[in-house]
Amino acid sequence: MGAEPGRDLLLRGGRVWGAPPDADAVLVRGRRIAAVGRGEDLLSAGADVADLAGRWVLPGFTDSHTHFHRTAMLAEYFLDFAELHPADSVAALLDVVAARYAVTPEGAWIQGDNLAPAALAERRFPTRWELDAVAPDRPVLLRGTGKHVVAANSLALRLAGIDATTPDPPGGAIERDEAGEPTGVLHERAKLRLDTTRTDTVVPGLSEADRMRALAAGIARLHELGITAIHEITRTADEFADYQRLRASSGLGVRVRAYVRVVEGQASLDDLAAVGVRSGLGDDLLRFGGVKVSVDGSDEHRNAALHEDYPGHPGHRGLIRIEAAELDAVVRRAHGLGLQTAVHAIGPRAVDLALDAFAGIGDPHGVRRLRHRIEHAYLPPRPGQLETMRDLGLVLSTQPAFLEAGGDGWREIFGADAGPRFLPLRTALDLGLVVQANSDVPCARLDPLVGIRAAVRRTTRAGTHLGAAEAVTVAEAVAMYTRAPAWTAFEEDRRGAVEAGMLADLTVVSGDPVAELDTFTVDATVVDGRLVSSRFTDPTTEGASL
């Protein structure tokens, strides 16, 4: 698909985002945008020409916080309770597990992902005993949204060595019945050896061939959605190695900026320091972005760290997965090693710990230079938090798509009055913060249009409007998926805009994103100068059709 190697590609007959109204064409030469202007002025002999028929050309979308490798595996091999195998009750969920059990070979695991208790009538995870009833002799492991909580059957618990004598680890909690027996529901670091990130996990992995097959299929899905780059959170050596294998075999097909978990992951800062890895290592397709560390858990499971009790749960203020002293040391050392650092902090208490860690570096200019990131921070901020984030020069990396995916649950957990204060995008932009938007897939839908619409409309899946005062414009929302992540990745000189000299990453949409916000679609995608996905006629050679 797309232009023949060595030939120019001319997209003409449309509109170009950010260009004057008379600019109806983009000329791609090699891997870069050669020119933006009027189609008749940009024609060149032998060029492949695509008729846009009034479509708009935008900068290629970047999803700047993904767990895409895991998402690709989920789509091909595991139960997906959000998209492919939805359930509205524990009984319906058990029916799904029973059906998978019927086709699962002896000794194999039954695994699922994206299980949201809020979608079930009982508002809870299934217990080990309920799972045992439908899968008595196969290990079952069902992960909640974001992998923050899992539900396991008795066989899986036994294989992992988790029983009534197992204590709650720091940063984790094992749910127990009145007799002290684990119910099978494990929070955060209490997943122990059922956490596939750990090197001593008992959960078997997929073969290299299966992983590569799923990853290739997933990248094709990125193309359909107009996504030309991802900032990928990698947990295991296999994940980063798979991207390298794909880069060597087929050119990868998407730009990957990899962020390595250095706490709760398989690599440590010691490992990176030993080989001298710094942010920026790699090329324009596959590059090392930095490191990731998580402070708290998920608000969906009431594990995000608050300064006050969760409504209806006296004494419970969430979970801290890393103590302040360790967090400070990790952030300070990563900074000293030249590693851009992304800190997961959802609740205001966790955000305060992250801000203290960055402030404690004692190098204001250096912090700004490395463009460190706060991931999430979408719960109502404590007064002054966003101002501190701005003054430290941090990037706010957050998820408007969570309005659509989890906004209805926020009202249930925090009360109707809290909703308008979530995801303070307008406030952050007005304060001068760099705000990039992303999906955190598989925690929300991968489609950037979902996030763009949510940022502008502030609408939940049930149609409830949350916080119109924090809405942004369409242009601002598009920038959060284009210019902002390019800046975060030190690529503002070559990505994030449709301008001559930029790398040729383009997303073609069906109409005007402003006038047709609720209906426009992605119709074509160009990555690194190649038309990798298209809903309209393949380009024809100039001279044969014009």
Side-chain angles (χ1 to χ4, degrees):
M1 178 181 293
E4 291 295 324
R7 288 218 296 255
D8 292 351
L9 171 64
L10 179 64
L11 307 174
R12 63 174 298 186
R15 291 288 303 276
V16 180
W17 188 260
D22 63 340
D24 71 341
V26 178
L27 178 64
V28 174
R29 179 166 295 148
R31 302 172 56 239
R32 294 189 177 266
I33 298 171
V36 175
R38 300 196 314 163
E40 57 264 36
D41 298 334
L42 300 182
L43 283 172
S44 60
D48 287 336
V49 180
D51 181 9
L52 295 172
R55 295 175 175 88
W56 283 64
V57 181
L58 275 60
F61 293 138
T62 295
D63 193 329
S64 53
H65 183 129
T66 66
H67 305 270
F68 180 72
H69 190 285
R70 170 180 152 220
T71 301
M73 304 306 116
L74 167 62
E76 294 293 318
Y77 303 115
F78 303 143
L79 297 171
D80 181 356
F81 294 105
E83 298 289 340
L84 302 179
H85 308 92
D88 58 6
S89 67
V90 170
L93 182 148
L94 294 174
D95 287 342
V96 172
V97 175
R100 179 57 63 95
Y101 172 79
V103 297
T104 299
E106 184 177 352
W109 285 60
I110 298 171
Q111 298 186 58
D113 214 320
N114 276 347
L115 176 55
L120 306 179
E122 298 84 354
R123 297 294 196 270
R124 64 171 176 82
F125 284 92
T127 68
R128 61 189 281 192
W129 302 287
E130 289 169 326
L131 294 171
D132 291 346
V134 295
D137 55 0
R138 307 283 195 279
V140 178
L141 182 64
L142 308 181
R143 304 176 184 90
T145 306
K147 281 186 57 185
H148 294 280
V149 179
V150 301
N153 72 348
S154 295
L155 179 54
L157 291 175
R158 185 163 70 250
L159 291 171
I162 299 172
D163 58 26
T165 67
T166 305
D168 288 359
I174 299 172
E175 290 192 15
R176 305 172 193 269
D177 67 8
E178 293 180 355
E181 287 290 332
T183 66
V185 180
L186 313 171
H187 294 250
E188 301 297 349
R189 301 185 85 161
K191 296 187 291 288
L192 300 172
R193 296 183 68 198
L194 293 177
D195 185 347
T196 55
T197 300
R198 289 177 46 150
T199 56
D200 64 348
T201 183
V202 297
V203 184
L206 296 167
S207 70
E208 179 182 317
D210 285 343
R211 296 195 311 270
M212 297 302 289
R213 186 181 306 112
L215 198 55
I219 288 173
R221 177 62 176 152
L222 292 178
H223 296 161
E224 294 172 359
L225 297 172
I227 298 171
T228 62
I230 59 175
H231 295 184
E232 172 76 328
I233 312 302
T234 60
R235 305 169 301 129
T236 69
D238 282 342
E239 291 178 355
F240 192 66
D242 286 347
Y243 285 115
Q244 294 181 78
R245 293 183 184 102
L246 205 58
R247 171 75 175 89
S249 64
S250 64
L252 196 54
V254 66
R255 301 189 196 278
V256 178
R257 307 297 176 251
Y259 290 78
V260 175
R261 280 187 178 273
V262 291
V263 178
E264 301 180 53
Q266 292 186 358
S268 68
L269 282 178
D270 287 341
D271 297 326
L272 300 179
V275 294
V277 173
R278 299 171 68 91
S279 292
L281 176 68
D283 58 28
D284 278 331
L285 276 177
L286 180 58
R287 179 173 292 134
F288 182 73
V291 298
K292 163 86 180 295
V293 59
S294 295
V295 178
D296 61 348
S298 166
D299 57 289
E300 179 183 8
H301 309 297
R302 294 181 173 86
N303 289 329
L306 309 182
H307 286 292
E308 65 285 335
D309 296 348
Y310 274 86
H313 293 262
H316 181 61
R317 300 187 173 190
L319 289 175
I320 294 295
R321 295 159 63 182
I322 181 172
E323 293 303 321
E326 183 184 1
L327 175 66
D328 293 348
V330 169
V331 169
R332 187 181 303 110
R333 188 176 185 208
H335 176 82
L337 292 171
L339 298 171
Q340 186 185 73
T341 304
V343 177
H344 161 122
I346 295 178
R349 183 158 59 104
V351 173
D352 278 339
L353 290 173
L355 295 177
D356 288 347
F358 283 118
I361 291 172
D363 178 15
H365 175 73
V367 170
R368 289 183 175 276
R369 178 177 53 80
L370 279 177
R371 304 177 185 179
H372 297 303
R373 309 162 42 147
I374 298 286
E375 305 297 317
H376 309 304
Y378 52 76
L379 295 193
R382 178 186 55 74
Q385 277 190 331
L386 294 178
E387 290 85 350
T388 300
M389 200 179 299
R390 174 202 60 198
D391 294 344
L392 287 170
L394 304 175
V395 175
L396 174 58
S397 177
T398 195
Q399 298 78 35
F402 281 12
L403 276 165
E404 192 264 355
D408 296 306
W410 292 341
R411 292 168 61 84
E412 183 173 321
I413 294 169
F414 297 99
D417 293 341
R421 299 166 52 222
F422 281 75
L423 269 167
L425 301 177
R426 175 79 276 144
T427 300
L429 289 178
D430 289 348
L431 286 171
L433 272 163
V434 174
V435 181
Q436 63 179 23
N438 42 68
S439 69
D440 194 15
V441 70
C443 298
R445 286 199 279 168
L446 186 60
D447 187 352
L449 302 191
V450 170
I452 289 171
R453 289 172 181 136
V456 177
R457 298 290 191 218
R458 304 285 299 192
T459 305
T460 71
R461 188 169 296 181
T464 302
H465 294 278
L466 291 183
E470 291 295 348
V472 301
T473 68
V474 174
E476 289 168 332
V478 169
M480 291 178 188
Y481 284 92
T482 55
R483 281 191 181 273
W487 187 88
T488 302
F490 302 92
E491 298 170 343
E492 67 270 26
D493 61 337
R494 56 193 181 278
R495 296 193 66 250
V498 187
E499 298 172 358
M502 292 284 190
L503 290 170
D505 293 351
L506 306 169
T507 300
V508 179
V509 298
S510 60
D512 182 351
V514 176
E516 303 172 42
L517 174 61
D518 297 321
T519 58
F520 80 102
T521 60
V522 171
D523 282 0
T525 304
V526 176
V527 179
D528 206 34
R530 293 181 57 245
L531 185 62
V532 294
S533 177
S534 174
R535 292 186 180 180
F536 50 89
T537 306
D538 279 348
T540 56
T541 303
E542 192 280 320
S545 61
L546 297 173

